């Protein structure tokens, strides 16, 4: 096991950690509020939340009425 | 020798210092929890979706499925050695693509609808033109040294793959060559998802980490830990600011990208089965997670509570998907059937 390849690997790990350590972080309370707001603002456009009528349901065959 | 050991010790110390710094920075912004913030939000009540169609046609376990951008066609992959393209409105099979290798683990539909891709234990991502008279192999992307666990098209000219060789890769479909190789995971990559804005993607791996990558620079921007076993499924929250993961540790987690940490966990003591797949409803409010217990459980993203279940499969739910128009959920199973619910 070459010593210098260990050093190269370690240096890469250090470089990656430096990158990750350097980012700006937003408060969880703010992040959570934004996620919540997105859900609530888009709720009406979410068919799985609001439900849909048979005539709008693409997976349900429309009942056909015929005059006898 | 002594000089090398000294250098390695110094680097190790720097690593430890940086890890401590990251944890401290995360703690410093950890001023609340998602569930606290969602205290004032109405519950969604019991979410009871109905089984609308069962798609029969595969002869063996289904491992993967992917919706087309038109929210009507869908492709599924089975270890019976076939890809099937379905019209989900009628339940009809439109096209069957025979595979060179039956050991398929992933399938993807290109946004244009012209191409599909699949791959698995053959380590190859094969791209097919399904608009020709009969499905034609367009490219065989052969460079991974481990199984192909996931693939997603960016367009008809670029595709992203995740592999058991611990790397993800961006390929140029015009040349069939690798453009960028994303290395940083230390375990098999199991799943990937593209961000809504197309600039980044996330990967989940057997090292129990989720990583956010810059698609053009090739760099890993953030790493999320917390799971205690393989991450099998990963998806972006529709705003692009959070990531949801599903793991063999029987839990799902939501990580916020801007807070750089886990903000909610989705687990239940009665649930002792690994998560295989997941998909979100269009507002992000509901998580549909497929489990080894043959069910797809539904979670309220904000409140962290289980709000429903899709029961009907006779074996593990291996894949789950919600189409772009959000009109339903598709589950695929080792029982060889796909089911459509809404």
């Amino acid at each position: 096991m070459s010593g210098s390849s260990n050093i190269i690997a370690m240096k890469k790990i250090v470089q990656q950690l430096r990158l990750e350590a350097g980012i700006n972080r937003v408060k969880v309370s703010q992040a959570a509020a934004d996620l919540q707001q997105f859900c609530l603002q888009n709720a009406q456009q979410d068919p799985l939340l609001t439900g849909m009528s048979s005539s709008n349901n693409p997976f349900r065959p429309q009942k056909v009425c015929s005059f006898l | 020798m002594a000089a090398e050991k000294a250098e390695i010790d110094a680097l190790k110390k720097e690593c430890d210092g940086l890890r401590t710094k990251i944890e401290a920075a995360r703690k410093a912004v950890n001023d609340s929890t998602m569930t606290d913030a969602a205290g004032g939000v109405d519950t969604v009540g019991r979410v009871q979706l109905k089984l609308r169609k069962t798609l029969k046609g595969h002869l063996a376990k289904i491992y993967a499925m992917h919706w087309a951008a038109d929210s009507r066609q869908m492709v599924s992959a089975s270890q019976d050695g076939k890809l099937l393209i379905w019209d989900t409105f009628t339940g009809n099979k439109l096209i069957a693509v025979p595979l060179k290798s039956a050991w398929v683990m992933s399938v993807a539909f290109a946004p244009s609808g012209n191409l599909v891709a699949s791959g698995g234990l053959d380590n190859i991502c094969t791209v097919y033109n399904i608009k020709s008279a009969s499905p034609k192999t367009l490219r065989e992307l052969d460079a991974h040294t481990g199984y192909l666990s996931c693939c997603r098209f960016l367009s008809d000219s670029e595709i992203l793959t995740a592999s058991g060789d611990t790397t993800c890769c961006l390929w140029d479909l015009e040349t069939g060559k690798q453009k960028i190789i994303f290395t940083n995971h230390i375990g098999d990559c199991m799943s990937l998802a593209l961000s809504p804005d197309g600039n980044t993607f996330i990967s989940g791996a057997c090292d129990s980490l989720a990583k956010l990558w810059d698609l053009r620079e090739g760099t890993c921007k953030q790493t999320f830990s917390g799971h205690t076993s393989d991450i099998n499924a990963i998806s972006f929250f529709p705003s692009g600011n959070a990531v949801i993961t599903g793991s063999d540790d029987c839990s799902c987690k939501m990580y916020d990208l801007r807070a750089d940490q886990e903000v909610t966990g989705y687990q239940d003591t009665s649930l002792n089965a690994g998560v295989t797949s997941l998909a979100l409803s269009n507002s992000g409010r509901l998580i549909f997670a497929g489990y080894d217990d043959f069910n797809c459980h539904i979670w309220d993203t904000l409140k962290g509570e289980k709000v429903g279940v899709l029961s009907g499969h006779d074996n593990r739910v291996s894949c789950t998907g919600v189409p772009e128009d959000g009109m339903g959920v598709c589950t695929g199973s080792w029982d060889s059937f796909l089911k459509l619910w809404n």
Side-chain angles (χ1 to χ4, degrees):
Chain A
M1 180 71 120
S2 155
S4 55
S5 70
N6 275 351
I7 292 182
I8 292 171
M10 287 293 302
K11 279 188 176 166
K12 278 197 181 138
I13 295 175
V14 166
Q15 189 184 26
Q16 180 62 35
L17 285 171
R18 274 191 199 146
L19 212 157
E20 293 183 17
I23 65 168
N24 286 325
R25 293 170 180 83
V26 159
K27 284 203 199 301
V28 171
S29 55
Q30 179 64 59
D34 291 347
L35 291 172
Q36 185 178 302
Q37 188 177 49
F38 186 93
C39 282
L40 298 177
Q41 277 177 345
N42 289 284
Q44 288 312 305
Q45 279 78 51
D46 187 341
L48 289 168
L49 261 187
T50 60
M52 64 198 82
S53 63
S54 289
S55 51
N56 288 341
N57 191 339
F59 305 128
R60 190 176 190 165
Q62 256 177 293
K63 292 201 174 12
V64 179
C65 294
S66 51
F67 288 98
L68 298 171
Chain B
M1 280 296 286
E4 273 181 8
K5 187 177 183 314
E7 194 175 354
I8 288 185
D9 285 346
L11 288 169
K12 274 197 186 136
K13 204 169 165 194
E14 195 175 354
C15 271
D16 291 341
L18 285 166
R19 289 200 169 100
T20 306
K21 187 178 171 195
I22 291 173
E23 282 322 301
R26 285 174 172 160
K27 203 161 173 205
V29 295
N30 192 1
D31 62 340
S32 180
T33 65
M34 184 79 223
T35 40
D36 277 349
V41 176
D42 285 343
T43 67
V44 294
R46 190 101 199 116
V47 174
Q48 286 174 312
L49 302 185
K50 292 203 173 75
L51 172 62
R52 301 298 179 183
K53 280 195 170 66
T54 296
L55 303 176
K56 303 181 193 198
H58 281 299
L59 304 172
K61 294 174 175 169
I62 291 172
Y63 273 80
M65 58 79 45
H66 193 215
W67 282 97
D70 67 3
S71 300
R72 175 166 183 164
Q73 286 187 23
M74 179 263 288
V75 63
S76 58
S78 163
Q79 293 203 349
D80 64 6
K82 285 201 172 43
L83 302 182
L84 288 178
I85 292 161
W86 307 83
D87 175 341
T88 59
F89 288 12
T90 60
N92 291 340
K93 298 178 238 331
L94 300 173
I95 304 171
V97 182
L99 302 174
K100 255 190 190 172
S101 163
W103 307 116
V104 63
M105 293 174 68
S106 178
V107 74
F109 227 124
S112 65
N114 296 330
L115 310 173
V116 294
S118 69
L121 294 181
D122 58 352
N123 299 1
I124 300 172
C125 180
T126 307
V127 179
Y128 305 89
N129 178 349
I130 53 164
K131 293 298 189 189
S132 49
S134 67
K136 197 164 169 269
T137 299
L138 186 73
R139 285 263 174 257
E140 283 178 332
L141 307 173
D142 188 359
H144 279 300
T145 55
Y147 59 83
L148 199 89
S149 54
C150 193
C151 51
R152 285 291 178 260
F153 285 92
L154 275 71
S155 65
D156 278 7
S157 52
E158 283 181 311
I159 194 169
L160 202 50
T161 56
S163 169
D165 67 11
T166 78
T167 70
C168 294
C169 184
L170 178 66
W171 304 78
D172 180 335
L173 287 175
E174 325 246 322
T175 61
K177 299 262 184 283
Q178 294 172 298
K179 264 183 162 167
I180 304 177
I181 303 174
F182 302 88
T183 50
N184 206 258
H185 277 297
I186 53 174
D188 302 11
C189 290
M190 297 304 292
S191 185
L192 66 85
L194 291 166
S195 66
D197 70 7
N199 294 328
T200 59
F201 75 94
I202 39 170
S203 59
C206 291
D207 56 12
S208 70
L209 303 173
K211 286 181 182 282
L212 178 75
W213 306 85
D214 185 312
L215 247 177
R216 300 302 163 191
E217 310 254 308
T219 50
C220 170
K221 292 168 55 149
Q222 285 171 260
T223 299
F224 302 96
S225 59
H227 278 297
T228 51
S229 186
D230 306 353
I231 292 176
N232 296 318
I234 199 160
S235 182
F236 270 93
F237 182 82
S239 70
N241 285 333
V243 154
I244 322 280
T245 53
S247 165
D248 271 349
D249 68 11
C250 311
S251 78
C252 294
K253 289 180 188 293
M254 175 157 68
Y255 296 96
D256 187 281
L257 298 181
R258 299 178 309 153
D260 188 43
Q261 57 192 283
E262 179 182 338
V263 293
T264 323
Y266 308 91
Q267 67 254 338
D268 190 298
T269 45
S270 67
L271 268 179
N272 281 324
V275 180
T276 62
S277 51
L278 65 89
L280 270 63
S281 70
N282 275 10
S283 66
R285 187 68 194 266
L286 301 175
I287 298 171
F288 297 92
Y291 287 73
D292 287 342
D293 73 351
F294 308 179
N295 295 316
C296 180
H297 294 277
I298 311 173
W299 296 88
D300 177 336
T301 313
L302 299 181
K303 290 188 179 282
E305 297 164 346
K306 211 155 80 66
V307 293
V309 63
L310 305 176
S311 285
H313 284 292
D314 296 322
N315 206 322
R316 170 184 292 193
V317 173
S318 55
C319 47
T320 309
V322 171
E324 266 176 47
D325 67 3
M327 292 294 270
V329 190
C330 180
T331 52
S333 166
W334 279 10
D335 68 7
S336 80
F337 302 123
L338 297 142
K339 289 179 186 286
L340 298 168
W341 317 75
N342 65 15

